[in-house]
Amino acid sequence: MLSVIIAAAVAVGLFLVGFFAFDVLSGVAIGLIAGVATFILILRRGRKPLEAGMKECEAHMKGQRFEKALASLETLRPIARWQPGLTGSIDAQIGMIRYAHMREFEDARSNLERAHPKVWQAQAMLAAAHFKKERFTEMKQVFEKAVKKNKKEALLWLIYGYCEWKRGSRNDAIAVLSRGVTECPSDERLKHQRESLQNGKKMKMPQNDPEWLALHLERTLPSGPAARPRFLPPAHRVGARYTRG
């Protein structure tokens, strides 16, 4: 947030200069332009070391060196003081690595709880951690927060519905999936899974989706490379929000 404070200080200072030298409108124009320009320059200055740190993290992830990957992410925290939203993104990625790859489901909670709400994968893992410990009230609170910020993420609605169904709340699961269909009317998976529950059948989640496998919600996983979740946002998508492209 230091970038915002500095940019605001520059804007106010130049506003006063313009105000006393010319008039109010001139002061506003000069201050606004200077503030925005300062903010952009600060962000650009921190972008290169941020991307370098993320590439180092990705290299460690490819080599299954998870502790070193976490250390690389931790070194980016000083940069986060200058990049709005970056702290939540760093915590999200640390939490996702600890949960999905290291299977530290409970220990990952502290990072996942600080994750930016727009990083829906982190929110889903936090809800899944509550589900595993049968903290269903907390689970619902996290899911509701997540779907409110990520209404168009069909898989998030599916995961929410699955957790409700798996804990024995079929009607609640159907209600969740119906809300998902309303928000994502073109997603056939939501419609199919809702229909299955309405007909008294089981939900079948996408077993080839790494974002689903990363949650470790099913005891039996497919064998082979697909069974190993490999989710980590690439360096060029680091920020407050990550959506798989």
Side-chain angles (χ1 to χ4, degrees):
M1 293 299 292
L2 289 177
S3 56
V4 176
I5 295 173
I6 292 174
V10 170
V12 171
L14 290 183
F15 163 75
L16 294 174
V17 171
F19 173 71
F20 288 111
F22 303 102
D23 52 40
V24 174
L25 290 178
S26 298
V28 170
I30 294 172
L32 182 61
I33 293 172
V36 171
T38 301
F39 183 70
I40 292 174
L41 288 174
I42 292 174
L43 292 186
R44 286 183 176 178
R45 184 178 180 181
R47 200 65 190 176
K48 286 187 177 180
L50 173 60
E51 291 182 353
M54 281 305 303
K55 288 179 180 178
E56 178 182 337
C57 176
E58 287 182 338
H60 288 314
M61 289 297 295
K62 289 179 181 178
Q64 304 289 298
R65 299 182 296 272
F66 302 129
E67 293 290 351
K68 290 186 177 181
L70 296 180
S72 296
L73 289 170
E74 289 290 352
T75 63
L76 299 178
R77 289 199 183 276
I79 301 175
R81 297 168 60 192
W82 302 90
Q83 302 273 339
L86 182 57
T87 296
S89 179
I90 291 173
D91 275 310
Q93 292 178 55
I94 290 175
M96 288 188 289
I97 291 172
R98 296 181 72 184
Y99 183 102
H101 297 275
M102 302 173 74
R103 302 197 180 201
E104 298 177 352
F105 304 130
E106 282 298 294
D107 291 339
R109 278 180 56 197
S110 58
N111 293 109
L112 295 174
E113 287 169 350
R114 295 193 296 269
H116 196 284
K118 284 288 188 177
V119 186
W120 70 264
Q121 296 90 345
Q123 299 300 319
M125 289 181 188
L126 177 58
H130 289 309
F131 172 83
K132 288 175 178 292
K133 293 295 184 178
E134 298 186 358
R135 297 186 292 261
F136 299 130
T137 299
E138 291 87 345
M139 179 199 79
K140 289 179 69 72
Q141 290 173 346
V142 173
F143 270 130
E144 286 298 327
K145 176 183 175 182
V147 296
K148 182 178 180 180
K149 296 291 184 179
N150 305 275
K151 295 180 180 180
K152 300 302 179 180
E153 297 293 346
L155 182 57
L156 178 60
W157 288 105
L158 278 175
I159 296 167
Y160 188 2
Y162 174 89
C163 288
E164 290 287 12
W165 166 69
K166 201 67 175 178
R167 76 183 185 98
S169 299
R170 180 180 294 267
N171 290 337
D172 288 341
I174 293 172
V176 166
L177 295 176
S178 295
R179 291 165 61 194
V181 170
T182 300
E183 298 294 344
C184 310
S186 62
D187 194 282
E188 294 300 323
R189 297 174 302 175
L190 286 168
K191 297 175 184 177
H192 176 72
Q193 295 301 332
R194 181 181 63 175
E195 183 179 349
S196 293
L197 292 184
Q198 289 172 334
N199 293 332
K201 298 179 181 179
K202 297 180 179 180
M203 285 188 69
K204 293 183 179 180
M205 298 299 285
Q207 295 300 308
N208 60 345
D209 193 316
E211 290 173 334
W212 163 248
L213 297 179
L215 297 174
H216 302 292
L217 284 174
E218 291 184 329
R219 293 183 179 180
T220 303
L221 294 177
S223 60
R228 298 189 294 273
R230 297 179 179 178
F231 175 73
L232 181 71
H236 69 281
R237 287 182 179 267
V238 176
R241 177 179 174 84
Y242 169 67
T243 301
R244 183 177 56 175

